[in-house]
Amino acid sequence: MSDKQAPIFILGGGAWGLSTALHLSRAGHTNITVFERAETIPSPYSAAYDLNKIVRPEYEDSFYTGLALEAIEAWKTPLFGPYFHQTGYIVATTGAAPPKAIHHLQAALETIQANPMFKSKITPLTGKKEFQDFAWQFSGPLNGFQGYFNRLAGYAHSSNALHGIWLHLAANGVKFILGDRAGKVEELLYDSSSPSANRQCVGVRTADGKFHRSKTTICALGAHAASLIPSLGRFAVARCWSVAHVQLTASEVDLLRGLPTTNVRDLGFFFEPDPETRLFKLCPLGAGYTNTQESGLSIPPADRLPPPQDFIPVADERKLRKLLQEVFPWMADRPFVDQKLCWFADTIDSDFCIDFVPDTQKSLVVLSGDSGHGFKMMPTFGSWVVRLLESGEQTEARWRWKDIDTRSLDWDTAVSWRIGGTRELKDLIADKKRQEQARL
Ligand SMILES: Cc1cc2nc3c(=O)[nH]c(=O)nc-3n(C[C@H](O)[C@H](O)[C@H](O)COP(=O)(O)OP(=O)(O)OC[C@H]3O[C@@H](n4cnc5c(N)ncnc54)[C@H](O)[C@@H]3O)c2cc1C
C-alpha cells in the first residue's frame, strides 16, 4: 500500500487488532480507525480480557518457536515491558498423564533443546525435590511429576497490555470508535451485492445504522469473525475454554509471589497471583467447546454476560481441583470465583490465518485462527500484517486463507497439544441445569 493517507479500518480492538494498528502506525499510515464494540479497552468480548497469558517459545513447529522468541524480545521493550513477567515456565505431566500429553511435552521440548538460544536455559525436572528447586511453594505430593523449567518464558498481563497499548495508540493519532452501537460492526459493505462476484469491500455498517467508507478493511474480531465473514467459519471455528480463579488473601498473594508460570499438561495451568485483585487464575486447557448454530457455524453467544457463560463444566472443575491437590492442597477446596468461558478462533492445524479474503480485490484482510496461542505474539503480530499489505500476497503458506471445510474432521486426534474431546455449549448448559435441579 503506497498511499499512507488512505483510510484503513481495523475491526476489533483485541490483541491482534491493536497490534496491527500499532505496526501500521509505525509504518507511517495516518488514517487508521479501530471499531470496537466494547465501551472501553480491554473489551470483555476479547479472548485476552484476562489477568494473564502464557508467553512461551516452545512449540512442536519450530517456525512458531522462532516467532515466539522474537515476540519475547519485543515484550522486553519499554512499550510492552510493563506487562511482561519473565517468571520462568514449568511444564510437567503427572504420573497419570495420557501418552498424548507426554508426547507433546517431549516434542515441544525437543524444538527448544535444538535451538542454541536455550543453551543453559532449560532444566529437566523429575520428582518433587527438583520441582521445588524452582517453585519452593509447591507443597503437594506432585505424584509422578516429570518435566522441565524454561527460564526464558513467563506470562504477560493481558488486560493491562490491551489497555496500555490502546492509550498509546489513541495518543498517537489512531482513531477509536467504541461502544455497542457506534463501534459494533454489523455488516461489511461491498460494491456488489453478489457474494460470488469479485467484489470490493468498501466499508462497514455499525449498529447505530451509520455507514463508514474505507479503502482497506482488516477484520480482527477473534472468535466473532465468522459472523461477518461466514466462509471463514468453515476452517476457523469459535471455541471456548474454561477459566476459574481462587480469591487469595494478601499474605497468600505474597506467599506465591514470583511463582513460575506452570503448565501441567494433563490437568491445567496457573500463574503467580495478580497483586491488584488477589486472584489466582487457573485454566484446564482441554479440547474446548463449540457453539454450533443452525447455519453449521460455531459463533460465540451474542452477549458475554449474564449466564450461560459464567460457569465452567464439572469435568473442568474436577481437573482443576486435582491440579490443586497435587500442587497446592491448601487451596484445593476453595470456591472458584469469576468462572467464565473464554472464546477464541481455532484451526485444526493451530495455524493463524493472516490473508486477504478471496475475491475481494485485496480490499478485505482477515486476521483469525489464533487457536488459543496468539496473545504472546501481540508485540510483533502487526508487522506481519504490514508485510502482507505491502507485498500484496501472503508468502507464508501456513497463514493463507484455506479453501477447505475442516468442521467434520477429527480435531481431537489432529490437535496434538489438547487433551480430551470437544462438546457443544448447549449440552454443557443442559448438564448444569440437571445438576442444579438434582441439588434442590
Ligand atoms: C482461555 C484462553 C486462554 C488463552 N491463553 C493463552 C496463552 O496462555 N498464551 C497465548 O499466547 N494466547 C492465549 N490465548 C489466546 C489469545 O487470547 C488470543 O490468541 C488473542 O486474544 C487473539 O487476539 P484477537 O485480536 O484475534 O481476538 P480478541 O482478543 O478476542 O479480540 C477480538 C475483538 O473484537 C471485538 N469484537 C467482536 N465482535 C465485534 C464487532 N461486531 N464489532 C466490533 N468489535 C467486535 C471484541 O470485543 C474483541 O475486543 C488464550 C485464549 C483463551 C480463550
Side-chain angles (χ1 to χ4, degrees):
M1 279 185 75
S2 49
D3 179 3
K4 302 226 163 148
Q5 280 87 48
I8 302 184
F9 288 176
I10 298 174
L11 317 184
W16 287 3
L18 294 177
S19 178
T20 299
L22 176 69
H23 284 272
L24 283 170
S25 168
R26 282 178 177 169
H29 289 271
T30 55
N31 196 351
I32 305 165
T33 306
V34 178
F35 291 82
E36 168 53 60
R37 71 174 287 194
E39 299 291 336
T40 184
I41 294 176
S43 157
Y45 301 97
S46 163
Y49 184 70
D50 213 345
L51 293 175
N52 34 43
K53 299 286 181 200
I54 302 173
V55 177
R56 45 93 186 170
E58 43 271 81
Y59 276 91
E60 281 174 85
D61 180 348
S62 58
F63 169 72
Y64 286 99
T65 301
L67 296 178
L69 283 170
E70 284 168 26
I72 287 174
E73 286 312 300
W75 276 109
K76 294 182 195 162
T77 55
L79 185 60
F80 285 96
Y83 318 109
F84 182 49
H85 303 263
Q86 202 170 24
T87 52
Y89 183 43
I90 289 177
V91 189
T93 49
T94 71
K100 189 178 179 189
I102 297 167
H103 179 263
H104 171 72
L105 185 149
Q106 283 307 329
L109 177 59
E110 276 160 27
T111 68
I112 52 176
Q113 274 173 333
N115 187 320
M117 281 281 294
F118 292 91
K119 201 167 180 310
S120 76
K121 304 286 194 299
I122 308 290
T123 311
L125 304 173
T126 305
K128 183 167 171 170
K129 172 77 189 59
E130 289 185 8
F131 278 89
Q132 284 181 326
D133 283 346
F134 291 92
W136 58 267
Q137 298 97 326
F138 284 5
S139 54
L142 308 184
N143 286 305
F145 272 47
Q146 300 260 9
Y148 64 92
F149 174 77
N150 171 4
R151 203 163 78 70
L152 280 183
Y155 73 93
H157 195 304
S158 50
S159 279
N160 287 356
L162 295 186
H163 186 75
I165 302 306
W166 169 47
L167 296 183
H168 171 84
L169 291 169
N172 282 280
V174 173
K175 286 177 275 232
F176 283 84
I177 301 185
L178 302 176
D180 225 16
R181 292 192 50 71
K184 183 177 179 194
V185 177
E186 289 201 327
E187 192 187 356
L188 296 170
L189 305 173
Y190 295 92
D191 63 353
S192 153
S193 57
S194 161
S196 56
N198 187 9
R199 57 191 184 159
Q200 199 174 349
C201 178
V202 292
V204 300
R205 179 179 58 77
T206 43
D208 56 2
K210 287 200 177 135
F211 294 87
H212 307 261
R213 288 188 75 83
S214 71
K215 179 95 189 337
T216 304
T217 301
I218 301 174
C219 182
L221 299 179
H224 306 261
S227 55
L228 292 188
I229 309 174
S231 49
L232 176 75
R234 298 185 317 132
F235 69 91
V237 173
R239 196 178 299 281
C240 65
W241 280 322
S242 299
V243 177
H245 304 82
V246 176
Q247 184 69 65
L248 299 181
T249 65
S251 62
E252 287 166 346
V253 171
D254 284 343
L255 173 73
L256 298 181
R257 194 181 47 236
L259 189 74
T261 303
T262 301
N263 192 344
V264 181
R265 298 239 38 115
D266 47 318
L267 293 178
F269 58 88
F270 56 80
F271 303 80
E272 75 171 328
D274 175 49
E276 201 178 315
T277 59
R278 298 181 188 162
L279 288 172
F280 177 77
K281 178 187 146 185
L282 298 135
C283 183
L285 191 61
Y289 311 109
T290 44
N291 187 37
T292 307
Q293 317 286 297
E294 265 178 37
S295 63
L297 298 176
S298 174
I299 311 256
D303 292 304
R304 200 180 82 76
L305 289 171
Q309 296 201 80
D310 57 350
F311 78 104
I312 65 170
V314 178
D316 284 344
E317 175 162 358
R318 265 194 226 115
K319 262 194 197 176
L320 294 181
R321 298 228 173 265
K322 177 77 185 141
L323 176 63
L324 291 173
Q325 282 153 11
E326 288 290 345
V327 184
F328 300 119
W330 56 271
M331 226 196 276
D333 297 322
R334 292 277 187 92
F336 285 150
V337 300
D338 195 13
Q339 301 181 25
K340 57 182 179 176
L341 296 171
C342 180
W343 293 87
F344 60 101
D346 206 16
T347 62
I348 197 162
D349 46 19
S350 300
D351 277 328
F352 306 153
C353 174
I354 307 170
D355 204 356
F356 297 103
V357 176
D359 302 328
T360 59
Q361 299 174 34
K362 304 195 175 182
S363 56
L364 179 62
V365 171
V366 68
L367 315 178
S368 184
D370 71 278
S371 302
H373 66 97
F375 183 79
K376 70 177 70 60
M377 311 292 186
M378 185 179 176
T380 47
F381 184 92
S383 64
W384 311 328
V385 185
V386 172
R387 195 171 66 202
L388 173 77
L389 292 175
E390 284 176 356
S391 71
E393 65 170 329
Q394 182 49 274
T395 50
E396 177 48 59
R398 289 177 181 80
W399 292 346
R400 285 196 193 123
W401 177 275
K402 293 191 175 76
D403 269 323
I404 46 170
D405 189 338
T406 59
R407 286 170 294 172
S408 59
L409 301 182
D410 177 8
W411 287 59
D412 299 342
T413 312
V415 186
S416 65
W417 56 291
R418 314 246 179 90
I419 311 299
T422 55
R423 294 187 67 200
E424 283 291 330
L425 178 62
K426 66 175 173 26
D427 298 330
L428 304 178
I429 293 169
D431 284 355
K432 182 171 183 274
K433 285 197 180 130
R434 270 194 297 276
Q435 283 147 13
E436 281 167 358
Q437 275 159 3
R439 256 184 248 132
L440 290 176

